Amino acid sequence: MGLHSSYSLLRGTVAPRALCRYARSLGYTTLALTDCNNLYGLWPFLAACGEEGLRPIIGAELRTEDNHRLFALVKDQTGYRNLCRLLTDRHCQPAFELAHGLNTHHEGLLVLVPDPDLLSHCREIGADAMAALVGRPNQGNSHLRQKARRLGLPAVPVQDCFFLTSGNEALHRLLRAIAANSSLDRLDAGAFDSGAMLPTPKQWQERFQPWPECLLAAEEAAERCTLRSPCRGLVMPPWPGQDAKGELRTRAYRGAEQRYGRPLPAAVVKRLEHELTVIGSMGFASYFLVVHDIVGPVARTCGRGSGAASLVAYCLRITNVCPLRHNLYFERFLNPGRTDAPDIDIDFAWDERDRILATVLERFGCRAALVANHVALQPRAAIRETAKVFGLPEGEISRITKKLPWVWRADVVGTDHWDEISKSPQLRGLDFTGPWPMIFQMAARISGIPRYLSVHPGGVVITPDPICDYVPVQRAAKGVPIIQWEKDGAEEAGLVKIDLLGNRSLGVIRDALAEVRAGGREIDEARWRPEDDAATRRTLTQGKTMGCFYIESPATRLLQQRSRRGDFKHLVIHSSIIRPAANEFIREYLRRLHGGDWQPLHPLVAGVLDETYGIMVYQEDVSRVAVQFGFSHADGDRLRKIMSKKDKKRQLRDYRERFLAAAAERGACAQVAERIWAMMMSFDGYSFCKPHSASYARVSFQAAYLKTHFPAEFMAAVISNQGGFYSTFAYVSEARRLGLTLQPPDVNSSAIRWQGQGRELRVGLMAVSGVSRATLERIFSQRQDHHFTSVFDFLARAVPARDEAEALIHAGALDTLQPRAEGNRGRLIWLLAAWHRGRKTTGTLFPLDPTPPPLPPEEKRQRLRNQYQVLGFLCDCHPITLFAEQRRQYRSLSVHTLLHLPQAAVDRRQRLRCIGWMITGKLVSTRKGEPMEFLSFEDETGLMECTLFARGYAEFCHLLTVGGPFLLSGYLDEDFSVRTFTIERLVPLRLSSSMRTPQTKVVGQGKSGVWGNPGQPELTVDFS
């Protein structure tokens, strides 16, 4: 029958696992999945059939734009290949026709056809076809059945199924309305399939009892479809030479001599021989050669992931961390017992990646494509789309959805939780009458349903034959070819992925080094060892690493400060131990690091975890500990991989029982075994292996070295590459803390990108909001001949749009085009208006009288507002310095003073106030599942990390924005000699857009009563 899962995008309502479970409960033993024009859900379907004991039939419904359709079922491997080709043609050919596609791609397929003409065509070309009697026996089906008899072909019953029960039909209609961008009451009747639910086997028999031969034909059809899985083992990228293993050996030894010199150390030779033997026996030589060819021409890369444990990869310069020096575990990447496909991850500078991908796709043609992402409806989007279908106006939808907590789970969006939703602090005061309870209920039911395909960040698959022989291919919105599976599906099929990813920090390092060279200094990168530089280590120990790639987040900077370690070994540990669910182990690690007593959890793990003070830090620690308790290397690695899967509870339960039994056999008591297992479970979710952490640590060290010794060049590169954890505003503040002087943008002096030399940081013209790239390039090009001499000269040659010119004026980029004594930007605005008026009235580029009339003095606060609006920061000062009066009025402390108060203020938890500018926040969940947030605030004196616990978050989260000044009240905490601030209450300080002095109330009502000073007047926020 025509079973459709939720992978029939915005048609099907049920995931493959739920579909198989329900079908099994009805008594089915064989199931065919025929999603519309795709095999997106093939691997989840096959896995679900295995769990439920069902015999799977691989298939798909092919449907054209004009709704001609057929069902193609796979009989054998040839049929699978032809189905992949048919689906590829359906997506990639602009005028695809079913009949034309079947002419060349019907072998090995059983084709079920509901159209009489197409059925005749199938008979003519010799396709194995049957008439598809869709729905119930009726007059139309009777004609098709008779046609099939005349052609000597059987007929089989087919039931379109997009939902399981009649109660789910409303979901199908909702999805069809979302797909059509229509409200429910305007949805065309032909856009959805009424009654398309799954009948029981008994209902099938009763329905087609008048035509018993059709039921027999259906059974026969199922028996002829014998292919259970299309997997054919690992599929390696092709290598044109005859001896891939020999070529790899030659290249590896040549690279080893470049890395280590001649003669090669014995340890290098021993490790190389071991790896080359394993790589050759597993057939991976061609994979290494292809990756080497991709990386070879690129100057700066970062090979990472488990592949960085390979000495062969290091010698080929695919990776850049020595596995011998850092004791990296090769078996995490490749071992003879491993049946799945490992991959090598390569980072390129973010602005070079697209060119690299284009080169690979051009070189391998039809044998290469990118991996897909299956993008699902997230809870917030589900609410918004459902509300649109219910006909609510955009304004009302935004009013509700913008106030929903950012951590909004589907399991709390049903009517059972309606009281919780409507009474939450974020939504207090909103009107929820009308359809909103139903909207939330329906949105919860469609949350998580796949919506469309996007492109994986960098996964590339290269195959020996056309890739559409292995998996259907389609074009992404940006035009690149993508396979229909995500990375997990590609792995299940044996397709070996190469990850070619973009990394902004590589661009930062590249550009900073270029600035250093432009300033007449040089760094010998061949001998560059930042990890041995004492000053760089001090920077890391102090946590002064904003901008330094992976170690710039607040959590990592705090860990650096608390650990008081700046060496490479500990940075590798810190890069991996920062992960969800590991907080208690981080605290224990710090305690042991600073001399606390500890004993191994069990003698068997003593030697395995000594390097990390007895704490599991890296992914491979899970595998290595499991091996110590009797697991094979392959089983230990499978356990590690299962932990990274979304759907793993059942498998983990089996592994837990195995582990506890193995631990008991080796003398570990139940309590100790449970503690070891709990530490393993801290890797549940996102975590790193040691080779990956070491690769990231090396890039982080390079960045920290440049920040330490060349701060202006480094900060210019950070901001120009527009990446990192923080905003430009925050990086500008960091530059000031480094003692750099900020020079405003200038059309005669600034480049498009930011520039740094010595102790000066020049704002790039790219920072000016609203100015197009074409205009920036025209400015830069025009001044190559000679500088702009006046406002009119600039306007005539650069020809910016009027709003672009105004933005440049407010940013200060045209200040040098008027006499210093007349530094009134109002004069520049007048000249701009005069220039445009002259062009309209006289057609000349220069007005006859360019002299402005007397203008009122420019107000400082308006000048600053205008600059902040177009730049997002102020060039001359931190904007929080303009709140000096409020600091005095509320006796708030500066960040520097607050963090250096006497210890008694910490011990007594003294209530303190501070006015800080929020620069970032990270939302997390407590053990109880409640949201809380870690926040970073700063002023002109320093940076302060803050915590807003669950109770405070529930009350104040609706006040938090992406940035701005807040009055904070709370107390200091100290942990391993590092201070943070716990926020009890906060109030945002806002600046009015008018020229009047704005008034902002600071008296707030908290759960513990009124705070602030209600006897004082309203807080005056004055930019004067």
Side-chain angles (χ1 to χ4, degrees), residues 174 178 181-184 378-406 408 418 426-427 430-433 435-436 439-440 443 451:
L174 172 63
I178 292 174
N181 195 24
S182 167
S183 61
L184 278 175
Q378 299 302 312
R380 185 181 298 272
I383 293 169
R384 173 173 287 278
E385 293 297 332
T386 304
K388 286 168 60 178
V389 167
F390 272 70
L392 270 60
E394 179 63 31
E396 182 175 356
I397 297 172
S398 296
R399 183 170 56 89
I400 300 297
T401 55
K402 284 181 179 179
K403 289 183 175 287
L404 292 176
W406 290 111
W408 196 255
W418 181 246
Q426 300 92 333
L427 306 182
L430 295 177
D431 181 14
F432 283 109
T433 57
W436 277 108
I439 289 171
F440 274 80
R451 186 173 188 179

Side-chain angles (χ1 to χ4, degrees), residues 25 65 200 297 327 368 412 636 691 717 872 913 927:
S25 71
E65 298 297 335
T200 67
N327 189 28
V412 297
R913 286 180 176 173
R927 288 183 176 179

